[in-house]
Structure formats: C-alpha cells, structure tokens
Amino acid sequence: MTLREILKMGDARLLRIAQPVAVFDTDELHVLVSDMLYTMQSVNGAGLAAPQIGVDLQVVIFGSDQINPRYPEAPVVPRTVLINPVITPLDAAEESDWEGCLSVPGLRGMVPRLRRIRYTGFDQYGDPIDRTAEGFHARVVQHECDHLIGTLYPMRIRDFRQFGYTEVLFPGIDASADD
Ligand code: NI
C-alpha cells in the first residue's frame, strides 16, 4: 500500500474522461485499489476516484465500515470498490446538501443531486454490482462518479452563496484536515 498524492482542483488530470477498465483481477488493479483505500482512509475521505490520484481509469471507492469523523451525522455507506459504473435515476427527485472534496480542500458547497439512483458496475474481481441507493449513499456515488467525467462538485453548485470555507460555515467541526 502506498499513500498517493491527491491532485487538487486546477490540475488538468482531474478534467479528463476516464477510461474503462478492460481486464479485472490483475495485480495492477489490486495495487491501485489498495493504494486508493489506504489513501482515502488516511484522510478520512468519504470516497476517492482514481483520477484524483492521477490514474485515468473508471475506478471509484467509497464508504466505510464505521462512522466517518468528517461526516459524523452521515449514515454508514458500505465500503465499495466500483469500476466502470453506470448510474440510472430512479425518478426525477433531487435534494441538496453540503459536499466537500479531497481535491478541493477546505471548502464546502451546497450541491443538488438525484435523491434515488440505481448504480451498476463491477468490483476489482469482475463481479457485478447492482444496487439502489438514496440520500447520502446516492450522493457519494454521484460525487465519485462525477470525477470520472471530469466534473468536480463546484461545477454542480447552483447557488454560490452556499459555497465557502468549512471553518467559516461549520465552526464547530474539525476542518483542520483535508476535506
Ligand atoms: Ni471528490
């Protein structure tokens, strides 16, 4: 496991359309996934996408087996490795909530997302994943999959009055680490 550098907004590699993974269960893919899990855990991230460490592949990870100290009120999302994902809306309902991103440290913004989705894809072994999700779980999946199409959450903000520094917006929470 290697701690990988997380690219920050402004780096052109965050704007690419990521390539699909063609072959599963390879040493290369397992190393990538373990580096991503280690890197995400080291900064208490809610999720991480391969483009955020400069890897141009459709690989995202999210979730944890316990409460995330950065999002203590958020429900637990199962730890998931999701490759070549496809998101389908279950209906048109949206909801807005605060998001942060490890590639946009120190900031939070109010982002509208689909409330209920189905997502499909594969894990690192090539086993299919097919789930429905709503609320925070659906939000995390949409945020991470956006990284695969070169989209960072500030690009989704509609009301820039609800975008600012975490330490100012939420003075009570520990914003000393990366967002
Ligand atoms: Ni992000």
Side-chain angles (χ1 to χ4, degrees), residues 120-165:
T120 60
F122 302 89
D123 70 11
Q124 65 269 49
Y125 302 97
D127 292 325
I129 292 169
D130 185 344
R131 292 184 189 151
T132 58
E134 61 176 47
F136 180 73
H137 184 176
R139 174 171 301 278
V140 169
V141 173
Q142 289 170 86
H143 176 114
E144 296 312 326
C145 292
D146 260 358
H147 280 295
L148 305 180
I149 54 169
T151 300
L152 300 168
Y153 82 82
M155 303 174 192
R156 300 281 190 196
I157 292 173
R158 292 189 191 140
D159 179 1
F160 280 95
R161 291 172 300 187
Q162 293 185 294
F163 181 47
Y165 291 96

Coordinates of all heavy atoms in Angstrom, one line a residue, residues 120-165:
T120 N -24.8 0.5 -11.2 CA -24.2 -0.8 -11.6 C -22.8 -0.7 -11.9 O -22.3 0.4 -12.2 CB -25.0 -1.5 -12.8 OG1 -24.9 -0.6 -13.9 CG2 -26.5 -1.6 -12.4
G121 N -22.1 -1.8 -11.9 CA -20.6 -1.8 -12.3 C -20.0 -3.1 -11.8 O -20.8 -4.1 -11.7
F122 N -18.8 -3.1 -11.5 CA -18.1 -4.3 -11.2 C -17.1 -4.0 -10.0 O -16.6 -2.9 -9.9 CB -17.2 -4.8 -12.4 CG -18.1 -5.1 -13.6 CD1 -18.3 -4.1 -14.5 CD2 -18.7 -6.4 -13.7 CE1 -19.1 -4.4 -15.6 CE2 -19.5 -6.6 -14.8 CZ -19.7 -5.6 -15.8
D123 N -16.8 -5.0 -9.2 CA -15.7 -4.8 -8.3 C -14.4 -5.2 -8.9 O -14.3 -5.5 -10.1 CB -16.0 -5.6 -7.0 CG -15.9 -7.1 -7.2 OD1 -15.4 -7.6 -8.2 OD2 -16.3 -7.9 -6.2
Q124 N -13.3 -5.2 -8.1 CA -12.0 -5.4 -8.7 C -11.8 -6.8 -9.2 O -10.8 -7.1 -10.0 CB -10.9 -5.0 -7.8 CG -10.8 -5.8 -6.5 CD -11.6 -5.2 -5.4 OE1 -12.8 -4.9 -5.5 NE2 -11.0 -5.1 -4.2
Y125 N -12.6 -7.7 -8.8 CA -12.5 -9.1 -9.3 C -13.4 -9.4 -10.5 O -13.4 -10.5 -11.1 CB -13.0 -10.1 -8.2 CG -12.1 -9.9 -6.9 CD1 -12.6 -9.1 -5.9 CD2 -10.9 -10.5 -6.8 CE1 -11.8 -8.9 -4.7 CE2 -10.1 -10.3 -5.7 CZ -10.6 -9.5 -4.6 OH -9.8 -9.3 -3.5
G126 N -14.1 -8.4 -10.9 CA -15.0 -8.5 -12.1 C -16.4 -9.0 -11.7 O -17.2 -9.2 -12.6
D127 N -16.7 -9.1 -10.4 CA -18.0 -9.5 -10.0 C -19.0 -8.3 -10.1 O -18.6 -7.2 -9.7 CB -18.0 -10.0 -8.6 CG -17.3 -11.3 -8.4 OD1 -17.4 -12.1 -9.4 OD2 -16.6 -11.5 -7.4
P128 N -20.2 -8.5 -10.7 CA -21.1 -7.4 -10.9 C -21.7 -6.8 -9.6 O -21.9 -7.5 -8.6 CB -22.2 -8.0 -11.7 CG -22.1 -9.5 -11.5 CD -20.7 -9.8 -11.2
I129 N -21.9 -5.5 -9.6 CA -22.6 -4.8 -8.5 C -23.8 -4.2 -9.1 O -23.8 -3.6 -10.2 CB -21.6 -3.7 -8.0 CG1 -20.4 -4.3 -7.3 CG2 -22.4 -2.8 -7.0 CD1 -19.3 -3.3 -6.9
D130 N -24.9 -4.3 -8.4 CA -26.2 -3.7 -8.9 C -27.0 -3.4 -7.6 O -27.5 -4.2 -6.9 CB -27.0 -4.8 -9.7 CG -28.2 -4.2 -10.3 OD1 -28.7 -3.1 -9.9 OD2 -28.7 -4.8 -11.3
R131 N -27.1 -2.0 -7.4 CA -27.7 -1.6 -6.1 C -28.6 -0.4 -6.4 O -28.4 0.3 -7.3 CB -26.6 -1.1 -5.1 CG -25.7 -2.2 -4.6 CD -24.8 -1.6 -3.5 NE -23.8 -2.5 -3.1 CZ -22.6 -2.2 -2.7 NH1 -22.3 -0.9 -2.6 NH2 -21.8 -3.1 -2.3
T132 N -29.5 -0.2 -5.5 CA -30.2 1.1 -5.4 C -29.8 1.8 -4.2 O -29.4 1.2 -3.2 CB -31.8 0.9 -5.4 OG1 -32.1 0.1 -4.3 CG2 -32.3 0.2 -6.7
A133 N -29.8 3.1 -4.3 CA -29.3 3.9 -3.1 C -30.1 5.2 -3.1 O -30.6 5.7 -4.1 CB -27.8 4.2 -3.3
E134 N -30.2 5.8 -1.9 CA -30.8 7.1 -1.8 C -30.1 7.9 -0.7 O -29.2 7.4 0.0 CB -32.3 6.9 -1.4 CG -32.5 6.2 -0.1 CD -34.0 6.2 0.3 OE1 -34.8 5.9 -0.6 OE2 -34.4 6.6 1.4
G135 N -30.4 9.2 -0.7 CA -29.8 10.1 0.3 C -28.3 10.2 0.2 O -27.7 10.3 -0.9
F136 N -27.7 10.1 1.3 CA -26.2 10.3 1.4 C -25.5 9.3 0.6 O -24.5 9.6 -0.1 CB -25.8 10.2 2.9 CG -24.3 10.4 3.0 CD1 -23.7 11.7 2.9 CD2 -23.5 9.3 3.4 CE1 -22.3 11.8 3.0 CE2 -22.1 9.5 3.5 CZ -21.5 10.8 3.4
H137 N -25.9 8.0 0.6 CA -25.3 7.0 -0.2 C -25.3 7.3 -1.7 O -24.3 7.3 -2.4 CB -26.0 5.7 0.1 CG -25.5 4.4 -0.5 ND1 -26.0 3.2 -0.3 CD2 -24.5 4.3 -1.4 CE1 -25.3 2.3 -1.0 NE2 -24.4 2.9 -1.7
A138 N -26.5 7.7 -2.2 CA -26.7 8.1 -3.6 C -25.8 9.3 -3.9 O -25.2 9.4 -5.0 CB -28.1 8.4 -3.9
R139 N -25.7 10.3 -2.9 CA -24.9 11.5 -3.1 C -23.4 11.1 -3.3 O -22.7 11.6 -4.2 CB -25.1 12.4 -1.9 CG -24.2 13.7 -1.9 CD -24.6 14.6 -0.8 NE -26.0 15.0 -1.0 CZ -26.4 16.0 -1.8 NH1 -25.5 16.7 -2.5 NH2 -27.7 16.2 -2.0
V140 N -22.9 10.3 -2.4 CA -21.5 9.9 -2.5 C -21.2 9.2 -3.9 O -20.2 9.5 -4.5 CB -21.1 9.0 -1.3 CG1 -19.7 8.3 -1.5 CG2 -21.2 9.7 0.0
V141 N -22.1 8.3 -4.3 CA -21.8 7.6 -5.6 C -21.8 8.6 -6.7 O -20.9 8.6 -7.6 CB -22.9 6.6 -5.8 CG1 -22.8 6.0 -7.2 CG2 -22.9 5.5 -4.7
Q142 N -22.8 9.6 -6.7 CA -22.8 10.6 -7.8 C -21.6 11.5 -7.8 O -21.0 11.8 -8.8 CB -24.1 11.4 -7.7 CG -25.3 10.6 -8.0 CD -26.6 11.4 -7.7 OE1 -27.1 12.2 -8.5 NE2 -27.1 11.1 -6.5
H143 N -21.1 11.9 -6.6 CA -19.9 12.7 -6.4 C -18.7 12.0 -7.0 O -18.0 12.6 -7.8 CB -19.7 13.1 -5.0 CG -18.5 13.9 -4.7 ND1 -18.5 15.2 -4.3 CD2 -17.2 13.5 -4.8 CE1 -17.2 15.6 -4.2 NE2 -16.4 14.6 -4.5
E144 N -18.5 10.7 -6.6 CA -17.3 10.0 -7.0 C -17.4 9.7 -8.5 O -16.4 9.8 -9.2 CB -17.2 8.7 -6.2 CG -16.9 8.9 -4.8 CD -15.9 9.9 -4.4 OE1 -14.9 10.0 -5.2 OE2 -16.0 10.6 -3.4
C145 N -18.5 9.3 -9.0 CA -18.6 9.0 -10.5 C -18.5 10.3 -11.3 O -18.0 10.2 -12.4 CB -20.0 8.3 -10.8 SG -20.0 6.6 -10.1
D146 N -18.8 11.4 -10.8 CA -18.6 12.7 -11.5 C -17.1 12.9 -11.7 O -16.7 13.5 -12.8 CB -19.1 13.9 -10.6 CG -20.4 14.4 -11.1 OD1 -21.0 13.9 -12.1 OD2 -20.9 15.4 -10.4
H147 N -16.2 12.4 -10.8 CA -14.8 12.5 -11.0 C -14.3 11.8 -12.3 O -13.3 12.1 -12.9 CB -14.0 12.0 -9.8 CG -13.9 12.9 -8.7 ND1 -13.2 14.1 -8.7 CD2 -14.4 12.8 -7.4 CE1 -13.3 14.7 -7.5 NE2 -14.0 13.9 -6.7
L148 N -15.1 10.8 -12.7 CA -14.8 10.0 -13.9 C -15.1 10.7 -15.2 O -14.7 10.3 -16.3 CB -15.4 8.6 -13.8 CG -15.2 7.8 -12.6 CD1 -15.9 6.5 -12.6 CD2 -13.7 7.6 -12.3
I149 N -15.9 11.8 -15.1 CA -16.3 12.6 -16.3 C -15.7 14.0 -16.1 O -16.3 14.9 -16.7 CB -17.8 12.5 -16.6 CG1 -18.6 13.0 -15.4 CG2 -18.2 11.2 -17.0 CD1 -20.1 13.2 -15.7
G150 N -14.7 14.1 -15.3 CA -14.0 15.4 -15.2 C -14.8 16.5 -14.5 O -14.6 17.7 -14.8
T151 N -15.7 16.1 -13.7 CA -16.6 17.1 -13.0 C -16.4 17.1 -11.5 O -16.4 16.1 -10.8 CB -18.1 16.7 -13.3 OG1 -18.3 16.7 -14.7 CG2 -19.0 17.7 -12.6
L152 N -16.0 18.3 -11.0 CA -15.8 18.5 -9.6 C -17.1 19.2 -9.0 O -17.8 19.9 -9.7 CB -14.6 19.3 -9.3 CG -13.3 18.7 -9.9 CD1 -12.2 19.8 -9.8 CD2 -12.9 17.5 -9.1
Y153 N -17.4 18.9 -7.7 CA -18.7 19.4 -7.2 C -18.9 20.9 -7.4 O -20.1 21.2 -7.6 CB -18.9 18.9 -5.8 CG -18.2 19.8 -4.7 CD1 -18.8 21.0 -4.3 CD2 -17.0 19.5 -4.2 CE1 -18.2 21.8 -3.4 CE2 -16.4 20.3 -3.3 CZ -17.0 21.4 -2.9 OH -16.4 22.3 -2.0
P154 N -17.9 21.7 -7.3 CA -18.2 23.2 -7.5 C -18.9 23.4 -8.9 O -19.7 24.4 -9.0 CB -16.9 23.9 -7.5 CG -16.0 23.0 -6.6 CD -16.5 21.6 -7.0
M155 N -18.7 22.6 -9.9 CA -19.3 22.7 -11.2 C -20.8 22.4 -11.1 O -21.6 22.8 -12.0 CB -18.7 21.8 -12.2 CG -17.2 22.0 -12.4 SD -16.5 20.7 -13.5 CE -14.7 20.9 -13.2
R156 N -21.3 21.8 -10.0 CA -22.7 21.5 -9.9 C -23.4 22.5 -9.0 O -24.6 22.4 -8.8 CB -22.8 20.1 -9.2 CG -22.2 18.9 -10.0 CD -23.1 18.5 -11.1 NE -22.6 17.2 -11.7 CZ -23.0 16.8 -12.9 NH1 -23.9 17.5 -13.6 NH2 -22.6 15.7 -13.4
I157 N -22.7 23.4 -8.4 CA -23.3 24.3 -7.4 C -24.2 25.3 -8.2 O -23.8 25.8 -9.3 CB -22.3 25.1 -6.6 CG1 -21.6 24.1 -5.7 CG2 -22.9 26.2 -5.8 CD1 -20.4 24.7 -4.9
R158 N -25.4 25.5 -7.7 CA -26.3 26.5 -8.4 C -26.4 27.8 -7.7 O -26.6 28.8 -8.3 CB -27.7 25.9 -8.5 CG -27.8 24.7 -9.4 CD -29.2 24.2 -9.7 NE -29.2 22.9 -10.3 CZ -30.1 21.9 -10.1 NH1 -31.0 22.1 -9.1 NH2 -30.0 20.8 -10.7
D159 N -26.2 27.8 -6.4 CA -26.3 29.0 -5.6 C -24.9 29.2 -4.9 O -24.6 28.6 -3.9 CB -27.4 28.9 -4.6 CG -27.5 30.1 -3.7 OD1 -26.7 31.1 -3.9 OD2 -28.4 30.1 -2.8
F160 N -24.1 30.1 -5.5 CA -22.7 30.3 -4.9 C -22.7 31.0 -3.6 O -21.7 31.2 -3.0 CB -21.8 30.9 -6.0 CG -21.3 29.9 -7.0 CD1 -22.0 29.7 -8.2 CD2 -20.3 29.1 -6.7 CE1 -21.6 28.7 -9.1 CE2 -19.8 28.1 -7.5 CZ -20.5 27.9 -8.8
R161 N -23.9 31.5 -3.1 CA -23.9 32.0 -1.8 C -23.8 30.9 -0.8 O -23.5 31.1 0.4 CB -25.3 32.7 -1.5 CG -25.3 34.0 -2.3 CD -26.7 34.6 -2.3 NE -27.7 33.7 -2.8 CZ -29.0 34.0 -3.0 NH1 -29.4 35.2 -2.6 NH2 -29.8 33.2 -3.5
Q162 N -24.0 29.6 -1.2 CA -23.8 28.5 -0.3 C -22.6 27.7 -0.7 O -22.7 26.5 -1.1 CB -25.1 27.6 -0.4 CG -26.3 28.3 0.2 CD -27.5 27.4 0.3 OE1 -28.1 27.0 -0.7 NE2 -27.9 27.1 1.5
F163 N -21.5 28.4 -0.7 CA -20.2 27.8 -1.1 C -19.2 28.6 -0.3 O -19.1 29.8 -0.3 CB -19.9 28.0 -2.6 CG -18.6 27.4 -3.0 CD1 -18.2 26.1 -2.7 CD2 -17.8 28.1 -3.9 CE1 -17.0 25.6 -3.1 CE2 -16.6 27.6 -4.4 CZ -16.2 26.3 -4.0
G164 N -18.3 27.9 0.5 CA -17.4 28.7 1.3 C -16.4 27.8 2.1 O -16.4 26.6 1.9
Y165 N -15.7 28.4 3.0 CA -14.7 27.7 3.7 C -15.4 26.9 4.9 O -16.2 27.5 5.6 CB -13.7 28.7 4.3 CG -12.8 29.3 3.2 CD1 -13.1 30.5 2.6 CD2 -11.7 28.5 2.7 CE1 -12.4 31.0 1.6 CE2 -11.0 29.0 1.6 CZ -11.3 30.3 1.1 OH -10.6 30.7 0.0

